[in-house]
Amino acid sequence: MSFPPDRILLGPGPSDVHPAVLESLGRPLLGHLDPAFLPILDEVVADLRTAFRTDNAATLPISGTGSAGLEAAMVNLIEPGDPVVVGVNGVFGGRLAEVARRAGADVHTVERDWGRIIEPEAFLDACRAHDARVAAIVHAETSTGVAQPVADIGAALGETDTLLVLDTVTSLGGMPVEVDGWQVDAAYSGTQKCLSVPPGLSPVTFSDKAVAKLRARATPVQSWYLDLSLILAYVDGDGGRTYHHTAPISMLYGLHRGLKLLLEEGLEARWARHARLGGMLQDGLVEMGLPLLAQEGHRLPQLTTVGLPDGVEEATLRRRLLDEHGIEVGGGLGQFAGRAWRIGLMGHSASERNVRMVLAAIADLLG
């Protein structure tokens, strides 16, 4: 059996995995109810609370990628007919709206051009106009590289019955995420971005207000597998450990180690590392004459969307970057398809070496 090629992962995800995390994945397997495993699970839950900056009791890793966390947040909080407002300025806002529709919601979208933020007041106006039960928005839009302002939205909705859902798939561990400080009711993320763990788990957290809404549902949660009321009976050790599904033990080992690395570095230090290196990359691209496509003042440091010169075959050039330099970046999606790249500097991939390497490789390819 041949081994996969050695790549430098600078796309929108997955990011490179820390060697200590890779080592942890090979540890002896335990059962998901083994008394030697349960303390590991409890530490994962406690460390996720620190990463999310929350005291929420309902904080846990969902078995599945970030899209499973997205679906868990929406289907647990939405009942058929509920008015739901969703901010859409990229692929993942659109995905939130689609999941809400499939859960039977009466969906109202606030849409902006790709690369632009959704103005908080416009989003709040829609929530008020439609008396939203749930309001959902993307913090770090992976398809565009835009960082969405959240604090004012959370402060306003925190005084109402509306539940705020926040996509932090690309932001958790890479930039400030303040679940309690921003009064977010449900947030979800993924392991393969700034946490530098392989894809396969989705950290989620739900406020007491959100859990109360879940407990008071008049209808069953649309998904049995993602029904939080059932999953919490396994994760919450206070009430015993009720079997729901077989937990992905090896992935939880990996997340356990990845979170320890995050906390050893320090949240603020990791945020600062991403900010410094993202700025270094973006400055280098501008010096080459390449345009940055996300709104100025609202650019993600860990995910940069950059336009390519006219006449360049995007996919061909990206394949040359992979074959000749061993570097993976992502192509543009939606409105950016065929004319842009998405360059990620996330977690273990966020290093000065990688910034210099990708800038030199792009300069070489563009001549």
Side-chain angles (χ1 to χ4, degrees):
M1 176 181 175
S2 61
F3 284 94
D6 190 17
R7 307 288 199 205
I8 298 170
L9 300 180
L10 301 183
S15 60
D16 287 331
V17 175
H18 193 285
V21 173
L22 289 175
E23 183 275 331
S24 71
L25 297 173
R27 293 180 180 177
L29 202 62
L30 295 171
H32 55 281
L33 295 172
D34 190 307
F37 170 70
L38 296 176
I40 297 172
L41 176 62
D42 290 341
E43 285 191 25
V44 167
V45 167
D47 290 346
L48 283 176
R49 291 192 185 105
T50 302
F52 275 121
R53 305 276 273 224
T54 184
D55 292 325
N56 288 342
T59 302
L60 63 148
I62 292 286
S63 302
T65 60
S67 295
L70 181 161
E71 192 148 350
M74 299 301 273
V75 301
N76 278 281
L77 300 182
I78 293 172
E79 294 197 69
D82 281 352
V84 173
V85 170
V86 180
V88 180
N89 57 349
V91 165
F92 296 97
R95 192 169 294 183
L96 276 166
E98 176 61 19
V99 171
R101 291 186 190 99
R102 292 186 181 209
D106 177 20
V107 178
H108 307 273
T109 59
V110 181
E111 302 190 21
R112 292 294 180 270
D113 287 342
W114 285 38
R116 311 296 295 181
I117 65 164
I118 296 166
E119 302 84 1
E121 196 54 42
F123 187 74
L124 291 168
D125 285 345
C127 292
R128 298 182 191 108
H130 299 290
D131 192 21
R133 302 285 177 86
V134 172
I137 200 161
V138 178
H139 184 213
E141 179 52 79
T142 317
S143 62
T144 67
V146 166
Q148 172 66 40
V150 176
D152 289 346
I153 294 172
L157 294 182
E159 304 300 318
T160 72
D161 292 332
T162 303
L163 298 173
L164 176 59
V165 174
L166 189 64
D167 178 323
T168 69
V169 169
T170 296
S171 55
L172 186 68
M175 61 189 294
V177 173
E178 303 281 356
V179 165
D180 287 358
W182 296 341
Q183 301 186 62
V184 173
D185 293 296
Y188 58 89
S189 190
T191 49
Q192 74 275 20
K193 310 274 188 164
C194 296
L195 299 182
S196 290
V197 176
L201 290 171
S202 178
V204 301
T205 185
F206 291 79
S207 69
D208 291 345
K209 178 179 167 184
V211 174
K213 159 70 173 172
L214 169 65
R215 303 291 190 198
R217 289 179 64 101
T219 59
V221 174
Q222 179 195 32
S223 169
W224 178 89
Y225 184 68
L226 297 174
D227 186 340
L228 188 68
S229 63
L230 302 176
I231 297 171
L232 285 175
Y234 167 67
V235 175
D236 182 5
D238 291 341
R241 305 282 185 170
T242 302
Y243 167 73
H244 179 256
H245 66 271
T246 302
I249 304 301
S250 297
M251 274 301 302
L252 287 163
Y253 290 162
L255 179 56
H256 180 261
R257 191 70 187 98
L259 289 169
K260 294 303 183 189
L261 291 168
L262 169 66
L263 301 182
E264 287 166 12
E265 182 177 0
L267 280 173
E268 290 83 359
R270 185 168 286 201
W271 297 339
R273 171 162 62 90
H274 284 86
R276 178 177 67 84
L277 295 168
M280 180 180 173
L281 171 66
Q282 290 167 9
D283 289 345
L285 294 169
V286 170
E287 286 173 10
M288 286 187 213
L290 299 176
L292 304 179
L293 301 183
Q295 183 176 342
E296 187 173 359
H298 299 283
R299 291 172 181 150
L300 295 173
Q302 68 271 41
L303 194 288
T304 297
T305 47
V306 59
L308 298 174
D310 291 340
V312 168
E313 290 287 340
E314 178 276 318
T316 301
L317 199 70
R318 182 157 43 91
R319 181 57 187 264
R320 285 185 59 199
L321 183 67
L322 189 67
D323 291 342
E324 297 173 22
H325 297 272
I327 298 173
E328 178 187 89
V329 301
L333 300 176
Q335 295 176 20
F336 294 161
R339 65 184 184 94
W341 281 355
R342 292 177 295 151
I343 305 175
L345 291 172
M346 294 185 274
H348 192 54
S349 293
S351 69
E352 188 165 324
R353 178 202 69 165
N354 284 347
V355 174
R356 294 188 185 281
M357 287 177 63
V358 73
L359 288 173
I362 292 170
D364 175 61
L365 292 173
L366 293 178

